[in-house]
Amino acid sequence: MYSLHGKPSAQAILRWSLQKGVVVIQDSSNPDHIRENTELFDFALTDEELVQIKVLDRNEKHDWY
């Protein structure tokens, strides 16, 4: 699935994390995913998009937020 910015959903979530000030440690052994995961700096999410992602919260607690 691709976001409005033509990026995979995983990249949108990584970008959301970066814009929220979360340090992102990417993990993959797939060379295509590693390359994809570094392509986070040629777009930014709007304030509205940040809110849209935040409201997807499923009340799960993770150690990174």
Side-chain angles (χ1 to χ4, degrees), residues 15-31:
R15 182 66 199 182
W16 178 84
S17 298
L18 287 174
Q19 284 185 230
K20 299 300 282 179
V22 176
V23 176
V24 176
I25 300 173
Q26 305 166 25
D27 182 29
S28 179
S29 59
N30 180 318

Side-chain angles (χ1 to χ4, degrees), residues 1-54:
M1 175 183 251
Y2 286 82
S3 73
L4 295 175
H5 298 274
K7 299 288 187 173
S9 298
Q11 276 184 291
I13 296 302
L14 290 171
R15 182 66 199 182
W16 178 84
S17 298
L18 287 174
Q19 284 185 230
K20 299 300 282 179
V22 176
V23 176
V24 176
I25 300 173
Q26 305 166 25
D27 182 29
S28 179
S29 59
N30 180 318
D32 292 330
H33 290 164
I34 293 169
R35 180 187 43 75
E36 238 179 33
N37 288 342
T38 64
E39 297 171 355
L40 303 175
F41 303 100
D42 60 346
F43 74 104
L45 300 171
T46 65
D47 290 340
E48 182 178 330
E49 290 168 329
L50 292 170
V51 170
Q52 288 173 343
I53 292 171
K54 182 179 180 181

